[in-house]
Amino acid sequence: MEMLSQTQNKTLLDQYLKIRQHSVFICEPLEIEDYVVQPIVDVSPPKWHLGHTTWFFETFILSPNFPDYKVFDAQYNFVFNSYYETIGARVIRTDRGNLSRPSVADVYRYREYVDEHMKLFLQSHFFTKELETLLELGLNHEQQHQELLLTDIKYILGHNPLFPVYKKNHSEPLKPILCAEMISIPEGVYEIGFEGEGFCFDNELGRHKVYLQNFEISNSLVTNGEYLEFMRDGGYSDFRHWHAEGWDWVKTSQAKSPLYWHEIEGDWMLYNLSGLQKVDPDEALCHISFFEASAFASWKGLRLPTEAEWEIASDHFDWGSRWEWTGSSYLPYPGFKKEAGAVGEYNGKFMVNQTVLRGASVATPKDHSRKTYRNFFPTNLQWQFTGLRLAK
């Protein structure tokens, strides 16, 4: 077993504490009642996120590697396991909002208990070089949940009839490039996938060659104003622009606008985390499903880029304020292999019926984005900070 130096241990400990504290910081504006709400199956209560990320460190790092460690509460494995079949039974996702217990105070005590033991562990000789990769996965897992925390908080507050403010000065808007233009990328054989030093998820590995025909891609995201034109032109009532499943979604959900948009006395308003406000036509569009992104592209006579096109072109435009829908299904790269044990359930098991998004968003934690990152969601979901960029 290879030991880490004291300097390395301190750096990792500082990183651990900083990331863990950021989750608490995100929840600081909440009232106690906000912690337990689950409006839909896709949204988890903030209390559950705080417990689940803590459970990850306890279950995968402390329990198997720190001698004499005692779990905070044996029932928490059932409560805070998300989808790891290897680890055992768990509360089904739809029931997370029914967990009035453990209390919010209990969950914060759980975090403090695990953090204190992680401090001891990371400064002990039991923490070896071999465990560094697992720690890094745990930290990136917590950052993923920080983005979900903010996304779920917005859904919880945004579906409260009072439209409560999360933070008065919270900033979500983005003003796209004023002079939008198409960037030409020549035909050729390119390479995509992660390479180099640093962290990546397993679904980014397997750097490989792809052949791309010449294409063009916009240097700017689609704006609210452009999408309003689509809406006013009957975009939600013209089946010609929609996939069959998308058209079924429009009719079933009675969709007529992006999520959080409300037509009030003739004006389109939208809710963001600083409250309800008038739609700014110059801001980047947000909270649309793949169905809506694809329909808008069809209406414009254009299309969504593939994930390979997006990655190859990404050095030529600014990205990172909206997760951008692509036209690519979420599938394994050549040579993809799932890791043994529970860690192998992380990404591979979801490689069906999902669509790839690229980039990052205003909710993505700092230093948790890269151009090879493969986010993925079902085609009907709007609740993530999603937008689109056109290609042809």
Side-chain angles (χ1 to χ4, degrees):
M1 292 188 297
E2 183 181 350
M3 306 300 296
L4 282 78
S5 69
Q6 287 186 341
T7 302
Q8 288 173 311
N9 281 35
K10 185 179 185 308
T11 299
L12 289 170
L13 176 58
D14 290 344
Q15 184 184 17
Y16 172 86
L17 294 175
K18 180 180 179 181
I19 289 174
R20 293 283 286 168
Q21 180 55 38
H22 187 62
S23 298
V24 175
F25 172 77
I26 290 171
C27 293
E28 283 179 357
L30 300 181
E31 298 293 345
I32 200 73
E33 292 83 358
D34 299 325
Y35 280 88
V36 298
V37 181
Q38 185 181 23
I40 57 171
V41 62
D42 302 299
V43 169
S44 294
K47 178 179 71 173
W48 186 88
H49 285 293
L50 294 175
H52 169 69
T53 50
T54 304
W55 168 88
F56 188 100
F57 291 107
E58 180 177 66
T59 302
F60 294 117
I61 294 181
L62 290 175
S63 290
N65 299 296
F66 202 13
D68 300 323
Y69 175 76
K70 292 180 174 57
V71 298
F72 181 80
D73 188 316
Q75 292 184 311
Y76 281 16
N77 187 65
F78 176 69
V79 172
F80 292 123
N81 183 0
S82 54
Y83 52 73
Y84 296 91
E85 300 286 351
T86 308
I87 303 301
R90 62 199 182 278
V91 171
I92 62 172
R93 188 175 183 182
T94 52
D95 283 349
R96 292 173 185 171
N98 295 334
L99 292 168
S100 59
R101 305 292 175 90
S103 67
V104 174
D106 289 335
V107 171
Y108 274 113
R109 279 192 288 269
Y110 180 38
R111 286 184 72 88
E112 291 169 6
Y113 177 86
V114 169
D115 286 348
E116 285 303 313
H117 284 82
M118 282 294 293
K119 287 180 193 177
L120 295 173
F121 178 68
L122 293 177
Q123 297 175 89
S124 74
H125 67 276
F126 297 110
F127 180 60
T128 62
K129 183 70 175 176
E130 290 76 13
L131 291 172
E132 187 177 358
T133 300
L134 186 57
L135 174 67
E136 198 169 30
L137 176 62
L139 294 175
N140 279 270
H141 170 259
E142 178 123 4
Q143 288 180 305
Q144 284 185 312
H145 277 271
Q146 287 166 355
E147 179 155 6
L148 289 170
L149 250 178
L150 206 55
T151 306
D152 289 354
I153 288 168
K154 182 172 182 179
Y155 196 97
I156 290 166
L157 300 181
H159 284 77
N160 183 312
L162 301 178
F163 297 120
V165 171
Y166 168 72
K167 282 183 182 177
K168 288 184 178 179
N169 59 348
H170 187 85
S171 178
E172 290 182 29
L174 167 80
K175 299 285 187 180
I177 298 169
L178 294 178
C179 298
E181 59 184 27
M182 301 298 281
I183 301 165
S184 296
I185 305 295
E187 172 187 19
V189 176
Y190 298 89
E191 288 192 355
I192 65 169
F194 184 83
E195 68 173 348
E197 300 297 320
F199 176 83
C200 74
F201 288 109
D202 58 359
N203 63 1
E204 302 170 58
L205 293 172
R207 188 168 176 83
H208 60 285
K209 291 181 172 62
V210 293
Y211 166 73
L212 298 178
Q213 293 184 327
N214 60 294
F215 68 96
E216 295 181 29
I217 187 169
S218 177
N219 66 339
S220 181
L221 293 169
V222 169
T223 65
N224 290 335
E226 291 174 299
Y227 200 80
L228 275 167
E229 293 177 18
F230 167 71
M231 292 165 57
R232 289 166 179 159
D233 195 43
Y236 282 92
S237 58
D238 189 344
F239 71 90
R240 293 176 300 167
H241 301 307
W242 299 82
H243 291 95
E245 189 175 332
W247 186 239
D248 289 341
W249 172 81
V250 169
K251 292 185 291 183
T252 301
S253 65
Q254 298 184 323
K256 62 177 183 178
S257 68
L259 186 62
Y260 302 120
W261 285 36
H262 305 274
E263 191 172 18
I264 301 174
E265 296 180 355
D267 288 325
W268 279 104
M269 310 289 288
L270 64 78
Y271 174 82
N272 67 30
L273 289 167
S274 58
L276 193 66
Q277 54 194 258
K278 193 170 182 178
V279 169
D280 184 338
D282 295 327
E283 287 177 6
L285 177 66
C286 198
H287 295 296
I288 56 166
S289 68
F290 168 80
F291 294 141
E292 291 166 300
S294 182
F296 176 84
S298 172
W299 176 76
K300 292 287 286 186
L302 299 169
R303 62 176 176 85
L304 302 178
T306 67
E307 67 167 321
E309 289 173 337
W310 189 98
E311 185 172 323
I312 294 305
S314 60
D315 289 337
H316 300 283
F317 53 74
D318 290 331
W319 55 268
S321 63
R322 303 285 187 266
W323 283 107
E324 303 179 28
W325 286 108
T326 73
S328 296
S329 297
Y330 178 52
L331 296 170
Y333 281 170
F336 174 81
K337 291 182 180 180
K338 290 193 286 186
E339 297 288 334
V343 173
E345 298 187 57
Y346 204 78
N347 282 312
K349 67 190 292 182
F350 300 110
M351 290 176 172
V352 63
N353 298 332
Q354 311 264 3
T355 301
V356 174
L357 300 105
R358 286 304 193 102
S361 81
V362 291
T364 307
K366 186 179 179 181
D367 303 323
H368 187 68
S369 62
R370 53 194 166 272
K371 67 180 183 180
T372 59
Y373 199 120
R374 304 179 75 203
N375 202 349
F376 53 92
F377 284 108
T379 47
N380 64 310
L381 294 184
Q382 299 172 294
W383 109 115
Q384 190 51 261
F385 289 78
T386 49
L388 79 147
R389 184 183 306 272
L390 296 171
K392 67 177 181 178

